[in-house]
Amino acid sequence: MTDAATHISEQVLDDEACEHTRDRYDFAAPVYDLMEWPVEQWLYRGWRRELWKEIEGPEVLEIGVGTGKNIPYYPDDVHVTAIDLSPGMLKRARRVARSHPEKNVTLREMDAQALDLPDDTFDDVVATFVFCSVPDPVQGLREALRVARGRKHSARLHLLEHMRATWPRLARLMDALDRPVHWGTGVHIARETVENVRAAGWALDEVTALSRADVFRRIEAHKPGGAPKD
């Protein structure tokens, strides 16, 4: 196969993967909040609140806004550009945004792997439980790095993620289930997101385990090259 043919084949596969993910999230959107309600109340809500307390902006990118669960926690003095691949999820996020008029948010439909945004724009990049479903997570994280500021100061990356467990038996089970779970939901359950952040070029600052077997983790990183933020 020629290099050109290989490139075309890879592009088709990428498009198919994006369409699969979009379809799964569009299908789930009407009941998504109901499906996640128990874990949202038990775990996610508190983690979201603590993460957003650290966001200074003033320009912030949220990748994978989903149904808008983070919107109530946005600081009032920042502007958030919030993107998602799924029109169905964005429809619900817009309802949340309308119910919080004090939040300065711009919602846009966009693929995290090909951000329609200029270089060196954002002071903080945030994603919560998103890079488990981006078809090419390293490419998505590279795009986040591209649009993050790095000339005058180093923008920061803030992630809440679930990923492959550190317990070997549980990790092997997650590996075995990853493919069927992804087919049904668009989500990968055995991603190595910490390594993906490194591979994309971010400089890791801190990884905090939030659960047993390190399945849930908070990841903090910065864009190399600039001075630290004040």
Side-chain angles (χ1 to χ4, degrees), residues 90-120:
L90 280 169
K91 180 179 179 180
R92 281 146 186 85
R94 291 189 178 98
R95 294 175 185 169
V96 177
R98 286 195 294 269
S99 69
H100 290 274
E102 76 282 6
K103 307 300 182 183
N104 186 4
V105 54
T106 302
L107 291 159
R108 295 183 61 183
E109 183 180 339
M110 201 178 299
D111 181 357
Q113 302 165 116
L115 295 174
D116 184 19
L117 297 165
D119 297 356
D120 202 51

Side-chain angles (χ1 to χ4, degrees), residues 34 39 41 48 91 105 140 146 174 207 217 220 223:
L34 181 62
V39 71
Q41 301 304 309
R48 295 181 199 277
K91 180 179 179 180
V105 54
R146 176 183 66 79
M174 294 172 83
V207 179
R217 296 177 229 179
E220 300 286 333
K223 184 169 185 172

